[in-house]
């Protein structure tokens, strides 16, 4: 490998120094090869035209401290939870006995693109830990929490957890994922999910990203959905200085469904990117995407959504909507929807809007005695409603509403 | 209660109000009639504090305070209410949430205790019944998909809940069927008393049979050009603005 000319040099060097857990072997080789060959993408790469990873390439990240931290944890919300602190799974803080990733060999690195897209390759090369959540056929697992917390003491660490989520036939799970960390610490969280949804299984995955204000969040979810299965993803991008959230989903069996909804709340000086890739590979599948981005101050939002409909995917029903609300004149939104359709009997629609708060609506609220700040908050919430309503689970929804309110309070302060 | 003196205002550099004088004492209902484009809605927006209007001269006092110096929400808390000629739709904002937020915001500014969800529902249901509004209108988005008449009724519901001391009704009668006109008028009349005044903007004398005004003013080209008793409305109806205002 020619590390000298590669912008991922620091990461490659770090990988060399890492002990390799048995489960990571093959994956790591794939990731290292991809990373050594291409490095981290620059803005010359089409998929990274709007999101510049060079601050991450230039940053110096350290290793997690040897001493285990015991941070205050949020109150439990689900039936059980898995807790990661500073990137490491903590059995002592978790209430669900995790399965070792070595049991997940059949899945690891096999879900579409999960080893080769740049963000995932970085993860593959450096993954040290992760969770394996395996829901056997027929089991209704209820609400499980996945908590990631970075402590102040850890400093600017980089961690790359590899999570595997497998649902057997007819199984179901609701996964509530929260990511938090201290402001003012430039750490990198680079999680990758490989999700395998079995026939007729249902996975509802709510992600609440509230990383610290100086953090980098590079995340990707890769899902395969079998016949009659459903994968629902809602991602709230509310934290981090730079957040990129990719979802790659493949509808592989007839009558599978995928919903990807999201909200991005982007404060002054921050950058949030939601990039989706949806592959309709089988007939009679449905997909729905609604993304809402709220931009304040000097901030930038990105939405890129590609829908690929293979020839076999007749009677595909696809929908994609992406809307942005600009709260300041200095904010910027870039959107790139893309449809690539090879089947002839297909219903696929997409749309995008960018706008400011409606002055008439704002005045209407204020004329009823509602103070300006509160009126603005109501309109922002109303703007998000259509996307947020996609979260059916009440606990997840409450957590989401709370996070949105929290962002708004910080904004308005 | 309300005193407007020599008010001039423009929008996008175009002068609309051209020295308007008007006084509404406490407890009185005044009607304003005038041709399309005369500046009636402009007056109601200027009084309630909508942005985009430049006040170039004159003064407005409300309860002895400088109305024009207040934010729209302060004006509302001080007792001003505008029933919009064109009520605004708020998709994604539930009508119940909206009404309760407004009511509590005003109560807070007035130093009164806020109502919890149950207390509010009880109050709102009572008022809705009086206005013959179906209860499911509480669950829908504010004015979203409401018919023209339903929107107007929703304005009157807000008025009834917020309990203003001065209500400006901008063509609240247009779009109402005959029964609704009666119901809405009853709603306004129910508020009448020494602490309640209203400015009723209308094109139709008929409304004034239900809400009988103490005074009628004719607004033409940004000014009040004539004022009189309730019979002035009949005169206008019979002879038109050109003749009466000449
Ligand atoms: N943004 C604007 N720029 C220029 N002129 C405007 C603007 N907004 C309103 N006007 C003009 O101001 C004038 C007064 O309008 P206003 O809505 O106050 O009339 P009105 O008396 O309420 O009429 P109507 O009886 O039709 O409701 C109209 O001629 C209108 O075209
Ligand atoms: Mg008007």
């Amino acid at each position: 490998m020619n590390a000298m000319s590669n912008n991922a040099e620091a990461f490659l060097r770090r990988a060399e120094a890492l002990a390799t857990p048995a489960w990571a072997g093959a994956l790591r080789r794939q990731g290292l090869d991809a990373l050594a060959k291409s490095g981290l993408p620059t803005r010359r790469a089409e998929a990274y035209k709007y999101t510049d990873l060079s601050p991450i390439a230039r940053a110096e990240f350290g290793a997690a401290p040897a001493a285990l931290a015991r941070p205050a944890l949020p109150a439990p919300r689900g039936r059980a939870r898995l807790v990661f602190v500073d990137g490491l799974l903590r059995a002592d803080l978790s209430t669900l006995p995790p399965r070792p990733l070595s049991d997940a060999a059949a899945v690891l690195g096999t879900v579409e693109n999960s080893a080769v897209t740049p963000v995932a390759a970085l993860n593959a090369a450096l993954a040290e830990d992760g969770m394996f959540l395996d829901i056997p056929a027929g089991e209704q697992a209820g609400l499980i929490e996945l908590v990631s917390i970075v402590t102040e003491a850890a400093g600017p660490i980089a961690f790359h957890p590899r999570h595997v989520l497998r649902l057997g036939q007819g199984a179901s799970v609701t996964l509530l994922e929260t990511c938090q960390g201290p402001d003012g610490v430039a750490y990198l969280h680079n999680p990758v999910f490989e999700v395998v949804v079995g026939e007729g299984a249902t996975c509802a995955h709510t992600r609440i990203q509230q990383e610290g204000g100086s953090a980098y969040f590079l995340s990707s979810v890769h899902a395969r959905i079998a016949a009659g299965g459903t994968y629902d993803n809602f991602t709230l991008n509310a934290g981090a200085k730079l957040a990129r959230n990719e979802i790659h989903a493949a509808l592989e069996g007839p009558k599978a469904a995928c919903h990807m909804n999201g909200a991005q709340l982007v404060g002054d000086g921050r950058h949030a990117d939601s990039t989706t890739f949806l592959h309709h590979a089988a007939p009679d599948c449905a997909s729905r995407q609604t993304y809402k981005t709220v931009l304040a101050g000097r901030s930038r939002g990105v939405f890129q959504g590609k829908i690929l409909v293979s020839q076999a995917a007749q009677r595909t029903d696809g929908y994609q909507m992406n809307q942005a609300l600009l709260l300041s004149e200095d904010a910027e939104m870039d959107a790139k929807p893309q449809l690539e359709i090879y089947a002839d009997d297909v219903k696929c629609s997409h749309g995008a809007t960018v706008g400011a708060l409606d002055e008439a609506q704002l005045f209407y609220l204020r004329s009823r005695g509602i103070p300006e700040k509160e009126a603005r908050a109501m309109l922002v919430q109303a703007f998000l409603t259509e996307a947020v309503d996609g979260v059916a689970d009440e606990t997840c929804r409450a957590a989401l509403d709370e996070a949105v309110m929290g962002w708004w309070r910080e904004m308005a302060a | 209660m309300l005193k407007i003196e020599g008010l001039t205002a423009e929008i996008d550099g175009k002068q609309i109000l051209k020295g308007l004088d008007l006084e509404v004492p406490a407890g009185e209902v005044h009607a304003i009639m005038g041709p399309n484009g005369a500046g009636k809605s402009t007056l109601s927006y200027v009084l309630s504090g909508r942005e985009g209007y430049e006040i170039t001269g004159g003064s407005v006092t409300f309860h002895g305070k400088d109305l024009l110096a207040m934010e729209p929400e302060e004006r509302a808390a001080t007792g001003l209410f505008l029933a919009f000629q064109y009520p605004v739709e708020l998709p994604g904002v539930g009508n119940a949430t909206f009404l309760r937020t407004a009511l509590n915001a005003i109560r807070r500014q007035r130093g009164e205790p806020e109502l919890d969800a149950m207390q509010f529902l009880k109050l709102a249901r009572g008022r809705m019944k009086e206005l013959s509004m179906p209860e499911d209108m509480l669950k829908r988005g504010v004015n979203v998909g409401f018919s023209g008449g339903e929107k107007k009724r929703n304005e009157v519901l807000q008025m009834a809940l917020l309990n203003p001391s001065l209500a400006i009704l901008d063509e609240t009668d247009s779009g109402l069927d005959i029964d609704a006109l009666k119901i809405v008028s009853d709603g306004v009349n129910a508020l009448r008393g020494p602490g309640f005044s209203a400015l009723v903007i209308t094109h139709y004398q008929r409304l004034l049979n239900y809400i009988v005004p103490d005074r009628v003013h004719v607004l033409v080209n940004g000014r009040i050009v004539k004022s009189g008793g309730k019979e002035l409305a009949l005169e206008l109806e019979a002879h038109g603005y050109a003749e009466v205002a000449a």
Side-chain angles (χ1 to χ4, degrees):
Chain A
M1 66 182 81
N2 182 3
M4 292 313 289
S5 63
N6 192 321
N7 67 354
E9 185 193 344
F11 287 111
L12 289 164
R13 248 188 285 120
R14 167 106 186 95
E16 275 165 33
L18 277 184
T20 307
W23 59 265
L27 190 66
R28 183 160 297 175
R29 271 190 304 281
Q30 267 183 296
L32 283 173
D33 285 350
L35 204 58
K37 193 164 144 250
S38 318
L40 289 173
T42 66
R43 294 188 54 193
R44 283 194 298 273
E46 187 60 24
Y48 286 84
K49 197 166 141 193
Y50 305 119
T51 294
D52 182 8
L53 299 187
S54 65
I56 295 175
R58 279 198 308 269
E60 287 184 29
F61 298 107
L68 292 183
R70 289 200 132 271
L73 294 175
R77 284 187 262 236
R79 178 177 70 72
R81 70 173 165 190
L82 289 159
V83 177
F84 284 74
V85 177
D86 300 335
L88 297 178
L89 177 59
R90 293 283 294 274
D92 58 327
L93 303 174
S94 301
T95 52
L96 188 72
R99 278 193 77 175
L101 275 163
S102 49
D103 290 354
V107 179
L108 276 169
T110 67
V111 182
E112 188 159 289
N113 288 329
S114 70
V116 293
T117 56
V119 165
L122 180 66
N123 170 286
L126 288 143
E128 291 176 86
D129 210 343
M131 68 150 199
F132 176 30
L133 195 57
D134 194 19
I135 318 291
E139 187 176 312
Q140 316 304 308
L143 178 63
I144 292 175
E145 269 187 290
L146 173 60
V147 177
S148 169
I149 291 185
V150 175
T151 61
E152 187 108 43
I157 57 172
F159 58 108
H160 314 260
R162 169 76 48 160
H163 302 306
V164 176
L165 176 55
R166 181 168 68 186
L167 286 87
Q169 192 172 359
S172 74
V173 70
T174 300
L175 184 66
L176 173 58
E177 182 192 349
T178 51
C179 309
Q180 292 175 349
D183 281 327
V185 183
Y187 61 90
L188 166 66
H189 186 184
N190 170 222
V192 168
F193 283 81
E194 295 189 70
V195 182
V196 179
V197 178
E199 282 185 20
T202 301
C203 177
H205 185 181
T206 301
R207 321 187 68 197
I208 299 181
Q209 186 274 106
Q210 295 176 293
E211 303 285 6
S214 305
Y216 303 104
F217 184 74
L218 287 182
S219 129
S220 58
V221 172
H222 305 260
R224 314 168 53 157
I225 307 145
T230 299
Y231 177 67
D232 277 357
N233 180 298
F234 184 97
T235 303
L236 175 72
N237 252 344
K241 183 172 177 57
L242 191 170
R244 163 128 167 160
N245 181 56
E246 293 183 13
I247 307 181
H248 303 249
L251 295 155
E252 298 185 338
K255 299 209 161 86
C258 181
H259 306 137
M260 301 175 180
N261 298 312
Q264 310 197 92
L265 309 176
V266 200
D268 184 38
R270 305 205 183 174
H271 180 109
D273 171 341
S274 282
T275 293
T276 67
F277 181 86
L278 199 102
H279 183 188
H280 277 265
D284 300 303
C285 293
S287 66
R288 294 277 174 280
Q289 299 181 55
T290 303
Y291 281 85
K292 303 266 184 166
T293 303
V294 180
L295 295 144
R298 195 175 284 279
S299 64
R300 190 156 185 198
V302 179
F303 174 80
Q304 308 184 103
K306 178 168 176 177
I307 302 178
L308 167 65
V309 181
S310 293
Q311 203 170 357
Q314 297 299 350
R315 296 171 302 283
T316 283
D317 177 5
Y319 168 84
Q320 180 192 84
M321 177 54 81
N322 138 62
Q323 298 181 304
L325 179 61
L326 306 179
L327 298 179
S328 108
E329 285 176 6
D330 299 324
E332 186 183 329
M333 179 74 195
D334 294 296
K336 196 177 77 178
Q338 242 183 310
L339 298 180
E340 204 175 309
I341 299 175
Y342 298 100
D344 37 61
D345 183 8
V346 165
K347 203 171 81 193
C348 240
S349 62
H350 69 93
T353 64
V354 180
L357 276 185
D358 185 306
E359 284 303 325
Q361 294 182 336
L362 194 59
F363 173 62
Y364 192 62
L365 290 168
R366 295 180 71 191
S367 78
R368 296 315 185 231
I370 300 171
E372 186 177 359
K373 267 188 193 173
E374 201 176 342
R376 283 181 187 276
M378 283 175 84
L379 293 178
V380 169
Q381 259 189 324
F383 170 74
L384 297 175
T385 300
E386 196 193 343
V388 174
D389 278 352
V391 177
D393 180 83
E394 271 178 34
T395 309
C396 294
R397 175 61 193 263
L400 199 56
D401 287 344
E402 205 179 293
V404 171
M405 297 279 271
W407 180 82
W408 187 259
R409 267 197 303 273
E410 220 171 277
M411 269 293 310
Chain B
M1 164 88 67
L2 178 74
K3 191 168 186 198
I4 305 172
E5 284 179 304
L7 185 62
T8 57
E10 54 187 52
I11 183 158
D12 294 339
K14 184 179 167 195
Q15 191 170 21
I16 311 290
L17 300 183
K18 301 174 178 171
L20 189 143
D21 299 295
L22 180 67
E23 190 168 352
V24 184
E28 290 192 7
V29 170
H30 289 202
I32 294 183
M33 304 183 82
N36 295 132
K40 303 181 297 297
S41 293
T42 301
L43 174 65
S44 65
Y45 285 143
V46 165
L47 292 179
S48 49
R50 185 172 192 148
E51 272 171 36
Y53 296 92
E54 195 180 347
I55 317 291
T56 48
S59 67
V60 181
T61 45
F62 180 49
H63 288 293
K65 291 181 195 154
D66 179 3
L67 184 72
L68 301 177
M70 294 186 223
E71 297 294 331
E73 53 267 35
E74 292 177 69
R75 301 182 194 204
T78 310
L80 187 79
F81 180 88
L82 167 64
F84 284 56
Q85 180 174 3
Y86 304 108
V88 179
E89 297 189 7
L90 303 174
V93 180
N95 209 18
T97 308
F98 164 64
L99 293 170
R100 183 153 85 96
T101 308
L103 180 58
N104 280 337
I106 283 188
R107 290 179 69 97
R108 210 161 50 229
Q109 291 176 75
R110 290 179 186 162
E112 297 165 11
E114 296 187 25
L115 299 187
D116 66 28
M118 290 305 293
Q119 292 168 315
F120 165 75
L121 268 183
K122 201 168 160 234
L123 183 68
R125 285 198 182 118
R127 292 283 186 275
M128 289 180 86
K129 214 166 147 205
E130 287 162 18
L131 293 167
S132 302
M133 291 172 71
E135 239 181 63
D136 75 348
M137 275 168 107
L138 278 179
K139 293 198 198 99
R140 291 164 62 182
V142 178
N143 295 326
V144 180
F146 287 24
S147 74
E150 285 169 345
K151 284 182 183 170
K152 295 299 177 80
R153 260 190 259 195
N154 204 30
E155 294 291 290
V156 176
L157 172 64
Q158 293 166 46
M159 179 185 72
L161 285 169
L162 300 181
N163 205 9
S165 53
L166 175 68
I168 304 168
L169 306 176
D170 191 356
E171 295 196 28
T172 302
D173 54 332
S174 48
L176 291 181
D177 64 41
I178 299 160
D179 292 343
L181 186 64
K182 174 120 187 24
I183 292 165
V184 162
S185 303
D186 288 347
V188 176
N189 288 331
L191 294 176
R192 286 183 86 153
F196 177 79
S197 308
L199 256 185
V200 179
I201 297 169
T202 184
H203 287 297
Y204 305 106
Q205 190 278 329
R206 192 185 54 187
L207 174 72
L208 305 181
N209 290 335
Y210 294 106
I211 304 175
V212 181
D214 297 292
R215 306 269 307 155
V216 174
H217 307 278
V218 183
L219 199 167
V220 178
N221 195 17
R223 271 193 208 101
I224 302 293
V225 296
K226 188 163 185 160
S227 301
K230 60 176 188 279
E231 62 291 343
L232 180 55
L234 290 165
E235 218 179 301
L236 287 167
E237 183 108 324
H239 304 290
Y241 293 114
E243 200 181 311
V244 176

